[in-house]
Amino acid sequence: MNIVQRDVMLMWRKPSYWLVMAVLAFLLGWIALVMTDLVLSQQGTMAQVAAVTEVTLARQLIGPFFSFVSLISLVLLALLAGQVISAERAAHSIHALLESGLGDVSVMAQKLLSVLILAAPLLLPVAVALWGWSTAATLDWAAVGWNVVAWGMLMLWFASLSLWLAVNLSQPGLAALLGLLITAVLWLMGQAGTGADWGKNWIRVFSPRSHFEWLQSGLVPFSTVLYFIGGAIMLFGLAVLSFKRLRLS
């Protein structure tokens, strides 16, 4: 049994994992229903409701829904990284990994994959919401695709960040809290001011929120690709170096 299988099986045996997933699935389903009700209530007459276009759905449902899904995902990834790495440090079971003979990159790559796999069940409520909307109107699947890409990029970046923080901390709760605190600060940095665009508010390029929103709209500037892909590689490299330092200590 490799590290990925071990981590996934151990988390699946914890009732707290399924409780958290159930709560998050409920939140996603509830927000999808609330957003749908708000959009339909704004249409006015039944004739206008029947004429809901894919543009309306793309702008009023898909984008805001995936923004909420992404924020929920960041919370889950922070919690999972703390359980997969920091909890092992607290229980001293990480010494088995340090003495396993596996390379540092291999161990961290499997830990990263474990976190992403454990977060994958969030795809189910998202798929159910999209299926429900697709039965009521024609979805703009291009917009859905860009939102999925933006969501995946953000999750990869934040999973690498959470992994790096978890390697350096022995308390799962502290690792999760610190990851969410850093992300909250960076997310607020991406908030657009009145009349402020990229050129006027250059500090937004340091925020994942700005790059996430650009990908949502179908814009793929080189800075966004570099931010997510290059940032994930850099953060993963820092996690590997931290694990190597832990092995040598």
Side-chain angles (χ1 to χ4, degrees), residues 28-111:
L28 292 178
W30 178 76
I31 198 66
L33 288 175
V34 170
M35 291 173 59
T36 304
D37 182 64
L38 289 175
V39 169
L40 294 180
S41 64
Q42 292 173 359
Q43 301 302 317
T45 65
M46 292 302 296
Q48 291 174 321
V49 170
V52 174
T53 63
E54 58 186 29
V55 176
T56 301
L57 285 172
R59 293 179 179 177
Q60 299 185 22
L61 288 177
I62 297 175
F65 177 69
F66 272 97
S67 295
F68 183 79
V69 170
S70 298
L71 291 177
I72 290 293
S73 302
L74 300 187
V75 176
L76 179 61
L77 289 175
L79 294 174
L80 290 175
Q83 290 296 319
V84 168
I85 293 289
S86 298
E88 288 207 43
R89 288 196 60 183
H92 304 290
S93 58
I94 198 171
H95 294 294
L97 293 177
L98 297 173
E99 299 171 359
S100 63
L102 296 174
D104 300 326
V105 176
S106 176
V107 172
M108 287 294 98
Q110 292 187 65
K111 288 292 185 181

Side-chain angles (χ1 to χ4, degrees), residues 202-238:
W202 57 268
I203 199 171
R204 293 184 64 199
V205 299
F206 294 102
S207 171
R209 178 178 181 177
S210 300
H211 298 283
F212 173 77
E213 291 175 349
W214 291 336
L215 280 178
Q216 278 187 303
S217 62
L219 297 176
V220 193
F222 177 75
S223 60
T224 296
V225 177
L226 182 63
Y227 184 91
F228 283 127
I229 303 298
I233 293 174
M234 182 189 71
L235 292 169
F236 178 78
L238 291 174

